[in-house]
Amino acid sequence: MPGHTENDITIAAPLDLVWDITNDIENWPQLFSEYAAVEVLSREGDKTTFRLTMHPDDNGTVWSWVSERVVDRAHRTVRARRVETGPFAHMDIHWQYSEIPGGTSMHWTQDFAMKPDAPVDDKGMTELINRNSRIQMELIRDKIEQRDRELRSATVS
């Protein structure tokens, strides 16, 4: 049975700031704790093709893959898919942003299936993604809220 995850977080910052920071792919290694490097391979309009490289895992394995990402700022959504799927049969990602009282809601949905020879099955990957998404979302929230405080402080000074 394919894997499906949904995770969301509220960020006490304006939607435009959340959008700009989370969609600045080149700075993802500073935003996410899991990414060691990103290389933009091409840009065509709202579509970016890029290579992500993770920090080594507990076994010393460095995972890397190519993804395509299409942003739709007007609808506050992002759709992405892995081009080089690695251990995944497929991986499709949907990010949705909503303005809410007190900030921005960021919602991540991931639909995927693991290949039969992958190191984990769909259930195991669902658990890993859910656990890691919460960690990454909290880290992103904290960094964006800190940046928002700095911007507000600079404006007041």
Side-chain angles (χ1 to χ4, degrees), residues 78-99:
V78 177
R79 295 219 177 258
R81 69 178 186 88
R82 284 192 181 203
V83 177
E84 291 179 2
T85 58
F88 293 90
H90 69 88
M91 167 60 89
D92 299 304
I93 302 169
H94 179 232
W95 287 11
Q96 186 167 1
Y97 302 78
S98 303
E99 224 167 353

Side-chain angles (χ1 to χ4, degrees), residues 28-36 55 132 135-136 139 143:
W28 278 7
Q30 288 74 47
L31 187 62
F32 292 83
S33 63
E34 61 190 345
Y35 300 141
H55 294 288
N132 193 54
I135 291 167
Q136 296 305 313
L139 183 62
K143 289 179 178 182

Side-chain angles (χ1 to χ4, degrees), residues 83-147:
V83 177
E84 291 179 2
T85 58
F88 293 90
H90 69 88
M91 167 60 89
D92 299 304
I93 302 169
H94 179 232
W95 287 11
Q96 186 167 1
Y97 302 78
S98 303
E99 224 167 353
I100 59 171
T104 302
S105 172
M106 185 172 66
H107 186 91
W108 293 352
T109 303
Q110 292 173 278
D111 290 297
F112 59 90
M114 303 308 295
K115 291 179 180 173
D117 61 346
V120 295
D121 62 11
D122 293 339
K123 183 176 185 276
M125 184 55 73
T126 298
E127 292 169 4
L128 286 168
I129 288 173
N130 276 328
R131 184 172 49 252
N132 193 54
S133 290
R134 285 188 285 275
I135 291 167
Q136 296 305 313
M137 289 179 124
E138 289 172 4
L139 183 62
I140 289 166
R141 177 201 59 208
D142 294 348
K143 289 179 178 182
I144 293 173
E145 288 178 355
Q146 176 62 37
R147 181 70 180 133

